[in-house]
Amino acid sequence: TQSTRPQRLLGAVQKNATRGDPRSVVQAIDQFCRQKEWAMNVGDEKGCILDSVVSEVNPATVLELGTYCGYSTVRIASRLPPHAKLITLEFNPDFAVVARQVIAWAGVEDKVHLVEGASGDWIPKMTEQFGVKTFDLVFLDHWKDRYLPDTKLMEECGLLRKGSILLADNVICPGTPDYLEYVRSSARYESQYFKSHLEYTKVEDGLEKSVFLG
Ligand SMILES: O=C(NCCCCCn1ccc2cnccc21)c1cc(-c2ccc(F)cc2)cc(O)c1O
Ligand SMILES: [Mg+2]
């Protein structure tokens, strides 16, 4: 039977990366995506912007919406302070199976809790299921038409506090126009656009960083 692209990406990690070395896992995936097959990881260029935001925020609690193969999960988790927690949500069970193995290969599984399901179902359950009061950082990288409804849902569930940071991938390509309009026009957010490119291409894309003002 045919392998899937995530399975081939995992094979490249297991072949080329060193167990317990997150940087080598990130490098192996970027090499695979540049030389073999494009895949929708945040990638090396936007990944550096993600790294700098994580280091600046130094979050104790992180929510990632959209795990895919765990590339950004590994980038974030490897930069978290001790005892910090990253909850990552993946809807597609085939992606989740691969992501768990990529996260384990990188040796960051102690900082990561991968949950399978839909954001609309899980966001209201975060506090009761994981004891999380608020998130210091949220990385949005799931269905682009869910960024806005899920942001409003996180506000309603009290999961954002004054100073919580939302970092959104793909605000240009594929694009999240309603989300961008909301965070840029709402008095409750201070937004900043980081211009970059769609992973592994010359097409414009970028990350939008939005601070919740309470
Ligand atoms: O679609 C993208 N990502 C989302 C994948 C599905 C997420 C499903 N999912 C996960 C958690 C979760 C929780 N609740 C509900 C649903 C949930 C994506 C696409 C492109 C892209 C593709 C083709 C092209 F030509 C140009 C760009 C680039 C990216 O960087 C992307 O991120
Ligand atoms: Mg993305």
Side-chain angles (χ1 to χ4, degrees), residues 90-122:
E90 182 47 59
F91 178 75
N92 181 315
D94 299 325
F95 294 172
V97 164
V98 165
R100 289 188 198 285
Q101 296 172 81
V102 168
I103 290 160
W105 197 270
V108 295
E109 64 273 29
D110 294 348
K111 294 180 180 289
V112 177
H113 193 122
L114 196 162
V115 180
E116 292 181 46
S119 49
D121 300 333
W122 276 98

Side-chain angles (χ1 to χ4, degrees), residues 122-134 157-159:
W122 276 98
I123 285 171
K125 296 193 290 190
M126 281 296 158
T127 306
E128 78 192 63
Q129 294 289 325
F130 306 107
V132 171
K133 287 187 182 51
T134 57
C157 295
L159 288 170

Side-chain angles (χ1 to χ4, degrees), residues 20-144:
D21 177 359
R23 286 164 49 90
S24 74
V25 167
V26 167
Q27 193 175 37
I29 295 174
D30 285 330
Q31 184 179 313
F32 173 81
C33 291
R34 284 194 181 281
Q35 294 174 7
K36 300 284 189 333
E37 301 182 59
W38 185 92
M40 60 181 171
N41 317 114
V42 73
D44 42 359
E45 194 179 310
K46 288 185 290 179
C48 286
I49 300 167
L50 171 63
D51 293 350
S52 59
V53 171
V54 173
S55 299
E56 175 201 335
V57 176
N58 202 33
T61 55
V62 184
L63 174 62
E64 175 179 63
L65 299 173
T67 316
Y68 187 42
C69 295
Y71 175 92
S72 49
T73 319
V74 167
R75 287 195 87 119
I76 296 167
S78 63
R79 276 170 186 73
L80 291 182
H83 315 301
K85 269 282 159 223
L86 164 54
I87 296 171
T88 183
L89 201 47
E90 182 47 59
F91 178 75
N92 181 315
D94 299 325
F95 294 172
V97 164
V98 165
R100 289 188 198 285
Q101 296 172 81
V102 168
I103 290 160
W105 197 270
V108 295
E109 64 273 29
D110 294 348
K111 294 180 180 289
V112 177
H113 193 122
L114 196 162
V115 180
E116 292 181 46
S119 49
D121 300 333
W122 276 98
I123 285 171
K125 296 193 290 190
M126 281 296 158
T127 306
E128 78 192 63
Q129 294 289 325
F130 306 107
V132 171
K133 287 187 182 51
T134 57
F135 287 106
D136 301 322
L137 172 66
V138 181
F139 181 52
L140 297 96
D141 195 19
H142 62 326
W143 287 333
K144 309 313 162 193

